Amino acid sequence: MENEPLYTLKKYWGYDNFRNSQEAVIKSVLEGNDTLALLPTGGGKSITFQVPAMMRKGICIVVSPLIALMTDQVEALKNREIRALSLAGGLPYPELERLLNNALYGQYKFLYLSPERLQQEVVRNYLKVMPINLIVIDEAHCVSLWGKDFRPAYLQCKWLKEQFPNIPLLALTASATLQVQQDILHQLGIEKANVISTSLARPNIAYKVYKVKSKFHHLLQLLRTTEGTAIIYLRSRNACVQLARLLENHNISATYFHGGIPAEEKNNKLSMWLLNDVRVMVATNAFGMGIDKPDVRWVIHWDIPQTLEDYFQEAGRAGRDGNPAEAIVFYNEVDIKNAEKLLNEYLIDIPYLKIVYSKLNSYFQIAIGEGTENTYSFLFPDFCKRYNLLPLKTYNALQVLDRFSIISFNHHFYNKVTFQMKATPEQLVKYITTHRYIKNITIYLMRCYELIFHFPVELEMAKLMERTEKSHKEIMGYLETLHNDGIGVLKCETADIQIIFNVPRDDDRTINSIGKHIKEYNHSKRLLQNKVYQYLEDENTCRSIFLLEYFGEKNGKPCGICSNCVTQMHSPKTNKQKIEADILQLLSSKPFNCNDLINTLPYSDQQINTVLDELFAMKKITFNIFNELYLK
């Protein structure tokens, strides 16, 4: 029993059965086969390598580009009393060597590292002598230029297979076209690997696309006439905040989520949504990774997605409980123009990249040949203002520098408070006799921070508030008084971005070295965006079939529930004037709520909504105080 996958699954994770193709992937790995596994979002990819790794002596090497996900997985393994560590973030050489020694001699089972870390010679030297039992390449589509998140550093992953030809390699991704699959196998040197995929079909999800004039009107109509939780995806952080507040103003409970808010606030917002204290989560695509809320009834895309891969992954967060759910895109001509504009700002050219890279080095005063491995924090708006840079274009340039491994770029919002005592203990005693109201906090600082007289120490504000029973504002007031009176030095540092320079400063040469890849990458991104336009504009093909064929699944049957299938079930000769007349006739008898109106009339949702839009625009109909439609 102990050498059975189900025994290991039950022992460490408490599950009785595997899901989807998990068992097939594990069987392939345990038989020593290189394997490419395509498992949908929420399909439990981590189980496919964690179970076989726990069944074999030695350590499993996991390469992943997502620092936050690596950290979460390591913490989850530790909570199950499984020894795991990650080489994430900026690590000084002594700390890096200490962790590698722990991995080598500490009987660890998992070592997570980024593809950039894999390029370091010291890391490779340690890996060569480790008892490796499995190699895992997570987010494997990153190795392909035609994947949605190409990262050149992933091309170095092939070294692992060349160095350890007899160790099975497992490449994992949520979805990939046939072209990307072939590229993954080639770039990783595993051309003969088993390819295991689960059908991406989600028969409970109705994929719907509505081209409408008033997106907010249709959103309100949907949320007011139905029940259940929703995610609304937008690209802009500010737009997330504005839409969430707008929904709240219309008595629909909502909150927002994006990469620029503090970690504690993120956790609070997530908890509120998971516990159904708020109904709608308005978010950028920073939200959703690793979050499993099974009862999401709608995933709504307010802005046009950049790729069908992004759209399909995000849409897949709906209906994980198997009950009916909808993935909706609302768009209009303005959105198409905005998407084109954003794409042009997203595709950064070489000259602009050189400017941003140069300004980054100037901002942190990094000399030629220096700057690697240190972590630098800063406020992004301040950086843009100082050098008169366009925020959106500059942000995208930082992402390109991150993608091509010049820097590692993370959102990490924090308010850091440091304090150093300048007065001697004798002077302090004299000071607090005349400033008794500040006595308790001063004594607390002296007792709890022994080195506060020697150099600045970072204060744990939460603990300080708890011990002194004072508010954050009161404590800051006391510290400012000590600072102004010359007793100490107070510094407050706020940051929303952290950067690690992966290569020494070499100005234009650094950017020129990746110039060819950037041009190819920009070309592939435009092709991917055009495929999204094709999906939106196709009013004939079943939307589920369109998506499945994009990912290489053929012979799908019409779903019968997407917006195209529903429209085609009704007569194509339906006259718009006839629909308008029927709506007006119904409303002449009494007010109707939207849901009852749609259920009463023998037309599709899309046909009715299109006519309602026009009637609203002509001011022939409106809502009453009971949220019912009536004639004006």
Side-chain angles (χ1 to χ4, degrees), residues 64-88:
S64 172
L66 305 170
I67 292 176
L69 202 58
M70 282 196 282
T71 303
D72 289 346
Q73 287 199 12
V74 167
E75 288 304 311
L77 288 166
K78 287 180 178 178
N79 290 337
R80 300 181 189 282
E81 299 184 352
I82 297 172
R83 295 175 68 81
L85 55 80
S86 71
L87 306 181

PDB file of all heavy atoms in Angstrom, residues 64-88:
ATOM      1  N   SER A  64       9.633  27.433 -11.760  1.00  0.00           N
ATOM      2  CA  SER A  64       8.392  28.196 -11.925  1.00  0.00           C
ATOM      3  C   SER A  64       8.716  29.676 -12.051  1.00  0.00           C
ATOM      4  O   SER A  64       9.632  30.168 -11.393  1.00  0.00           O
ATOM      5  CB  SER A  64       7.461  27.967 -10.727  1.00  0.00           C
ATOM      6  OG  SER A  64       6.357  28.837 -10.788  1.00  0.00           O
ATOM      7  N   PRO A  65       7.957  30.421 -12.875  1.00  0.00           N
ATOM      8  CA  PRO A  65       8.206  31.856 -13.007  1.00  0.00           C
ATOM      9  C   PRO A  65       7.450  32.692 -11.982  1.00  0.00           C
ATOM     10  O   PRO A  65       7.642  33.898 -11.896  1.00  0.00           O
ATOM     11  CB  PRO A  65       7.676  32.152 -14.419  1.00  0.00           C
ATOM     12  CG  PRO A  65       6.520  31.225 -14.561  1.00  0.00           C
ATOM     13  CD  PRO A  65       6.897  29.971 -13.794  1.00  0.00           C
ATOM     14  N   LEU A  66       6.566  32.066 -11.208  1.00  0.00           N
ATOM     15  CA  LEU A  66       5.658  32.799 -10.334  1.00  0.00           C
ATOM     16  C   LEU A  66       6.147  32.723  -8.887  1.00  0.00           C
ATOM     17  O   LEU A  66       5.952  31.722  -8.192  1.00  0.00           O
ATOM     18  CB  LEU A  66       4.247  32.227 -10.444  1.00  0.00           C
ATOM     19  CG  LEU A  66       3.672  32.184 -11.875  1.00  0.00           C
ATOM     20  CD1 LEU A  66       2.381  31.395 -11.902  1.00  0.00           C
ATOM     21  CD2 LEU A  66       3.462  33.595 -12.401  1.00  0.00           C
ATOM     22  N   ILE A  67       6.788  33.798  -8.426  1.00  0.00           N
ATOM     23  CA  ILE A  67       7.362  33.810  -7.078  1.00  0.00           C
ATOM     24  C   ILE A  67       6.283  33.624  -6.022  1.00  0.00           C
ATOM     25  O   ILE A  67       6.440  32.856  -5.066  1.00  0.00           O
ATOM     26  CB  ILE A  67       8.132  35.126  -6.841  1.00  0.00           C
ATOM     27  CG1 ILE A  67       9.382  35.162  -7.740  1.00  0.00           C
ATOM     28  CG2 ILE A  67       8.535  35.260  -5.379  1.00  0.00           C
ATOM     29  CD1 ILE A  67      10.162  36.443  -7.665  1.00  0.00           C
ATOM     30  N   ALA A  68       5.148  34.321  -6.189  1.00  0.00           N
ATOM     31  CA  ALA A  68       4.072  34.225  -5.201  1.00  0.00           C
ATOM     32  C   ALA A  68       3.540  32.797  -5.113  1.00  0.00           C
ATOM     33  O   ALA A  68       3.276  32.278  -4.020  1.00  0.00           O
ATOM     34  CB  ALA A  68       2.947  35.185  -5.561  1.00  0.00           C
ATOM     35  N   LEU A  69       3.410  32.134  -6.273  1.00  0.00           N
ATOM     36  CA  LEU A  69       2.902  30.765  -6.288  1.00  0.00           C
ATOM     37  C   LEU A  69       3.907  29.799  -5.662  1.00  0.00           C
ATOM     38  O   LEU A  69       3.529  28.875  -4.942  1.00  0.00           O
ATOM     39  CB  LEU A  69       2.578  30.341  -7.720  1.00  0.00           C
ATOM     40  CG  LEU A  69       1.584  29.188  -7.888  1.00  0.00           C
ATOM     41  CD1 LEU A  69       0.259  29.514  -7.224  1.00  0.00           C
ATOM     42  CD2 LEU A  69       1.363  28.878  -9.353  1.00  0.00           C
ATOM     43  N   MET A  70       5.200  30.031  -5.927  1.00  0.00           N
ATOM     44  CA  MET A  70       6.236  29.199  -5.300  1.00  0.00           C
ATOM     45  C   MET A  70       6.149  29.311  -3.780  1.00  0.00           C
ATOM     46  O   MET A  70       6.193  28.307  -3.055  1.00  0.00           O
ATOM     47  CB  MET A  70       7.629  29.637  -5.771  1.00  0.00           C
ATOM     48  CG  MET A  70       8.026  29.159  -7.143  1.00  0.00           C
ATOM     49  SD  MET A  70       9.812  29.319  -7.430  1.00  0.00           S
ATOM     50  CE  MET A  70       9.945  31.063  -7.764  1.00  0.00           C
ATOM     51  N   THR A  71       6.034  30.549  -3.291  1.00  0.00           N
ATOM     52  CA  THR A  71       5.963  30.789  -1.851  1.00  0.00           C
ATOM     53  C   THR A  71       4.750  30.100  -1.246  1.00  0.00           C
ATOM     54  O   THR A  71       4.842  29.458  -0.194  1.00  0.00           O
ATOM     55  CB  THR A  71       5.907  32.301  -1.576  1.00  0.00           C
ATOM     56  OG1 THR A  71       7.055  32.931  -2.161  1.00  0.00           O
ATOM     57  CG2 THR A  71       5.891  32.584  -0.087  1.00  0.00           C
ATOM     58  N   ASP A  72       3.597  30.218  -1.924  1.00  0.00           N
ATOM     59  CA  ASP A  72       2.369  29.595  -1.418  1.00  0.00           C
ATOM     60  C   ASP A  72       2.505  28.070  -1.360  1.00  0.00           C
ATOM     61  O   ASP A  72       2.079  27.440  -0.389  1.00  0.00           O
ATOM     62  CB  ASP A  72       1.184  29.967  -2.318  1.00  0.00           C
ATOM     63  CG  ASP A  72       0.783  31.431  -2.161  1.00  0.00           C
ATOM     64  OD1 ASP A  72       1.238  32.064  -1.196  1.00  0.00           O
ATOM     65  OD2 ASP A  72       0.035  31.930  -3.020  1.00  0.00           O
ATOM     66  N   GLN A  73       3.094  27.479  -2.414  1.00  0.00           N
ATOM     67  CA  GLN A  73       3.217  26.024  -2.441  1.00  0.00           C
ATOM     68  C   GLN A  73       4.187  25.525  -1.372  1.00  0.00           C
ATOM     69  O   GLN A  73       3.956  24.493  -0.734  1.00  0.00           O
ATOM     70  CB  GLN A  73       3.654  25.558  -3.829  1.00  0.00           C
ATOM     71  CG  GLN A  73       2.558  25.661  -4.872  1.00  0.00           C
ATOM     72  CD  GLN A  73       2.815  24.799  -6.097  1.00  0.00           C
ATOM     73  OE1 GLN A  73       3.694  23.941  -6.108  1.00  0.00           O
ATOM     74  NE2 GLN A  73       2.036  25.030  -7.150  1.00  0.00           N
ATOM     75  N   VAL A  74       5.271  26.266  -1.168  1.00  0.00           N
ATOM     76  CA  VAL A  74       6.230  25.869  -0.131  1.00  0.00           C
ATOM     77  C   VAL A  74       5.571  25.922   1.240  1.00  0.00           C
ATOM     78  O   VAL A  74       5.729  25.003   2.058  1.00  0.00           O
ATOM     79  CB  VAL A  74       7.491  26.772  -0.177  1.00  0.00           C
ATOM     80  CG1 VAL A  74       8.336  26.584   1.080  1.00  0.00           C
ATOM     81  CG2 VAL A  74       8.325  26.450  -1.413  1.00  0.00           C
ATOM     82  N   GLU A  75       4.810  26.984   1.501  1.00  0.00           N
ATOM     83  CA  GLU A  75       4.128  27.101   2.790  1.00  0.00           C
ATOM     84  C   GLU A  75       3.094  25.984   2.967  1.00  0.00           C
ATOM     85  O   GLU A  75       2.952  25.421   4.053  1.00  0.00           O
ATOM     86  CB  GLU A  75       3.452  28.472   2.910  1.00  0.00           C
ATOM     87  CG  GLU A  75       4.417  29.624   3.112  1.00  0.00           C
ATOM     88  CD  GLU A  75       5.315  29.431   4.323  1.00  0.00           C
ATOM     89  OE1 GLU A  75       4.773  29.106   5.410  1.00  0.00           O
ATOM     90  OE2 GLU A  75       6.550  29.560   4.187  1.00  0.00           O
ATOM     91  N   ALA A  76       2.387  25.659   1.876  1.00  0.00           N
ATOM     92  CA  ALA A  76       1.388  24.587   1.950  1.00  0.00           C
ATOM     93  C   ALA A  76       2.044  23.240   2.252  1.00  0.00           C
ATOM     94  O   ALA A  76       1.513  22.439   3.037  1.00  0.00           O
ATOM     95  CB  ALA A  76       0.608  24.509   0.636  1.00  0.00           C
ATOM     96  N   LEU A  77       3.201  22.990   1.646  1.00  0.00           N
ATOM     97  CA  LEU A  77       3.921  21.742   1.909  1.00  0.00           C
ATOM     98  C   LEU A  77       4.435  21.693   3.349  1.00  0.00           C
ATOM     99  O   LEU A  77       4.352  20.662   4.027  1.00  0.00           O
ATOM    100  CB  LEU A  77       5.080  21.587   0.926  1.00  0.00           C
ATOM    101  CG  LEU A  77       4.684  21.261  -0.523  1.00  0.00           C
ATOM    102  CD1 LEU A  77       5.863  21.457  -1.466  1.00  0.00           C
ATOM    103  CD2 LEU A  77       4.167  19.833  -0.634  1.00  0.00           C
ATOM    104  N   LYS A  78       4.947  22.803   3.823  1.00  0.00           N
ATOM    105  CA  LYS A  78       5.432  22.861   5.206  1.00  0.00           C
ATOM    106  C   LYS A  78       4.298  22.589   6.193  1.00  0.00           C
ATOM    107  O   LYS A  78       4.501  21.923   7.218  1.00  0.00           O
ATOM    108  CB  LYS A  78       6.056  24.233   5.492  1.00  0.00           C
ATOM    109  CG  LYS A  78       7.411  24.448   4.836  1.00  0.00           C
ATOM    110  CD  LYS A  78       7.945  25.840   5.170  1.00  0.00           C
ATOM    111  CE  LYS A  78       9.310  26.064   4.559  1.00  0.00           C
ATOM    112  NZ  LYS A  78       9.825  27.441   4.834  1.00  0.00           N
ATOM    113  N   ASN A  79       3.111  23.104   5.874  1.00  0.00           N
ATOM    114  CA  ASN A  79       1.950  22.872   6.749  1.00  0.00           C
ATOM    115  C   ASN A  79       1.568  21.402   6.798  1.00  0.00           C
ATOM    116  O   ASN A  79       0.897  20.961   7.745  1.00  0.00           O
ATOM    117  CB  ASN A  79       0.756  23.705   6.271  1.00  0.00           C
ATOM    118  CG  ASN A  79       0.956  25.197   6.496  1.00  0.00           C
ATOM    119  OD1 ASN A  79       1.745  25.594   7.362  1.00  0.00           O
ATOM    120  ND2 ASN A  79       0.265  26.024   5.734  1.00  0.00           N
ATOM    121  N   ARG A  80       1.986  20.641   5.776  1.00  0.00           N
ATOM    122  CA  ARG A  80       1.739  19.194   5.757  1.00  0.00           C
ATOM    123  C   ARG A  80       2.962  18.428   6.257  1.00  0.00           C
ATOM    124  O   ARG A  80       3.085  17.218   6.060  1.00  0.00           O
ATOM    125  CB  ARG A  80       1.375  18.743   4.347  1.00  0.00           C
ATOM    126  CG  ARG A  80       0.123  19.415   3.810  1.00  0.00           C
ATOM    127  CD  ARG A  80      -0.237  18.919   2.413  1.00  0.00           C
ATOM    128  NE  ARG A  80      -1.305  19.708   1.836  1.00  0.00           N
ATOM    129  CZ  ARG A  80      -2.595  19.580   2.139  1.00  0.00           C
ATOM    130  NH1 ARG A  80      -2.966  18.667   3.015  1.00  0.00           N
ATOM    131  NH2 ARG A  80      -3.504  20.363   1.566  1.00  0.00           N
ATOM    132  N   GLU A  81       3.898  19.189   6.888  1.00  0.00           N
ATOM    133  CA  GLU A  81       5.128  18.619   7.455  1.00  0.00           C
ATOM    134  C   GLU A  81       5.987  17.965   6.379  1.00  0.00           C
ATOM    135  O   GLU A  81       6.608  16.924   6.599  1.00  0.00           O
ATOM    136  CB  GLU A  81       4.801  17.644   8.587  1.00  0.00           C
ATOM    137  CG  GLU A  81       4.059  18.307   9.744  1.00  0.00           C
ATOM    138  CD  GLU A  81       3.827  17.362  10.922  1.00  0.00           C
ATOM    139  OE1 GLU A  81       4.109  16.155  10.771  1.00  0.00           O
ATOM    140  OE2 GLU A  81       3.368  17.836  11.966  1.00  0.00           O
ATOM    141  N   ILE A  82       6.000  18.587   5.193  1.00  0.00           N
ATOM    142  CA  ILE A  82       6.863  18.157   4.093  1.00  0.00           C
ATOM    143  C   ILE A  82       7.942  19.216   3.915  1.00  0.00           C
ATOM    144  O   ILE A  82       7.633  20.404   3.791  1.00  0.00           O
ATOM    145  CB  ILE A  82       6.052  17.993   2.780  1.00  0.00           C
ATOM    146  CG1 ILE A  82       4.995  16.900   2.951  1.00  0.00           C
ATOM    147  CG2 ILE A  82       6.979  17.668   1.617  1.00  0.00           C
ATOM    148  CD1 ILE A  82       4.022  16.788   1.791  1.00  0.00           C
ATOM    149  N   ARG A  83       9.197  18.787   3.896  1.00  0.00           N
ATOM    150  CA  ARG A  83      10.315  19.741   3.844  1.00  0.00           C
ATOM    151  C   ARG A  83      10.461  20.294   2.424  1.00  0.00           C
ATOM    152  O   ARG A  83      10.687  19.539   1.470  1.00  0.00           O
ATOM    153  CB  ARG A  83      11.611  19.069   4.297  1.00  0.00           C
ATOM    154  CG  ARG A  83      11.557  18.651   5.766  1.00  0.00           C
ATOM    155  CD  ARG A  83      12.791  17.863   6.188  1.00  0.00           C
ATOM    156  NE  ARG A  83      13.998  18.673   6.198  1.00  0.00           N
ATOM    157  CZ  ARG A  83      14.350  19.496   7.184  1.00  0.00           C
ATOM    158  NH1 ARG A  83      13.545  19.653   8.222  1.00  0.00           N
ATOM    159  NH2 ARG A  83      15.481  20.160   7.136  1.00  0.00           N
ATOM    160  N   ALA A  84      10.329  21.625   2.316  1.00  0.00           N
ATOM    161  CA  ALA A  84      10.409  22.285   1.011  1.00  0.00           C
ATOM    162  C   ALA A  84      10.991  23.674   1.195  1.00  0.00           C
ATOM    163  O   ALA A  84      10.842  24.302   2.254  1.00  0.00           O
ATOM    164  CB  ALA A  84       9.016  22.382   0.381  1.00  0.00           C
ATOM    165  N   LEU A  85      11.664  24.158   0.184  1.00  0.00           N
ATOM    166  CA  LEU A  85      12.191  25.524   0.225  1.00  0.00           C
ATOM    167  C   LEU A  85      12.225  26.091  -1.182  1.00  0.00           C
ATOM    168  O   LEU A  85      12.148  25.367  -2.182  1.00  0.00           O
ATOM    169  CB  LEU A  85      13.568  25.586   0.889  1.00  0.00           C
ATOM    170  CG  LEU A  85      14.712  24.709   0.371  1.00  0.00           C
ATOM    171  CD1 LEU A  85      15.356  25.316  -0.872  1.00  0.00           C
ATOM    172  CD2 LEU A  85      15.779  24.557   1.445  1.00  0.00           C
ATOM    173  N   SER A  86      12.335  27.418  -1.271  1.00  0.00           N
ATOM    174  CA  SER A  86      12.412  28.080  -2.578  1.00  0.00           C
ATOM    175  C   SER A  86      13.563  29.073  -2.585  1.00  0.00           C
ATOM    176  O   SER A  86      13.910  29.649  -1.547  1.00  0.00           O
ATOM    177  CB  SER A  86      11.100  28.807  -2.896  1.00  0.00           C
ATOM    178  OG  SER A  86      10.946  29.934  -2.072  1.00  0.00           O
ATOM    179  N   LEU A  87      14.131  29.250  -3.762  1.00  0.00           N
ATOM    180  CA  LEU A  87      15.208  30.229  -3.954  1.00  0.00           C
ATOM    181  C   LEU A  87      14.598  31.438  -4.657  1.00  0.00           C
ATOM    182  O   LEU A  87      14.980  31.796  -5.768  1.00  0.00           O
ATOM    183  CB  LEU A  87      16.337  29.627  -4.794  1.00  0.00           C
ATOM    184  CG  LEU A  87      16.921  28.301  -4.306  1.00  0.00           C
ATOM    185  CD1 LEU A  87      18.046  27.840  -5.213  1.00  0.00           C
ATOM    186  CD2 LEU A  87      17.424  28.437  -2.862  1.00  0.00           C
ATOM    187  N   ALA A  88      13.633  32.072  -4.004  1.00  0.00           N
ATOM    188  CA  ALA A  88      12.909  33.182  -4.614  1.00  0.00           C
ATOM    189  C   ALA A  88      13.466  34.504  -4.119  1.00  0.00           C
ATOM    190  O   ALA A  88      14.013  34.601  -3.014  1.00  0.00           O
ATOM    191  CB  ALA A  88      11.421  33.084  -4.284  1.00  0.00           C
TER     192      ALA A  88
END
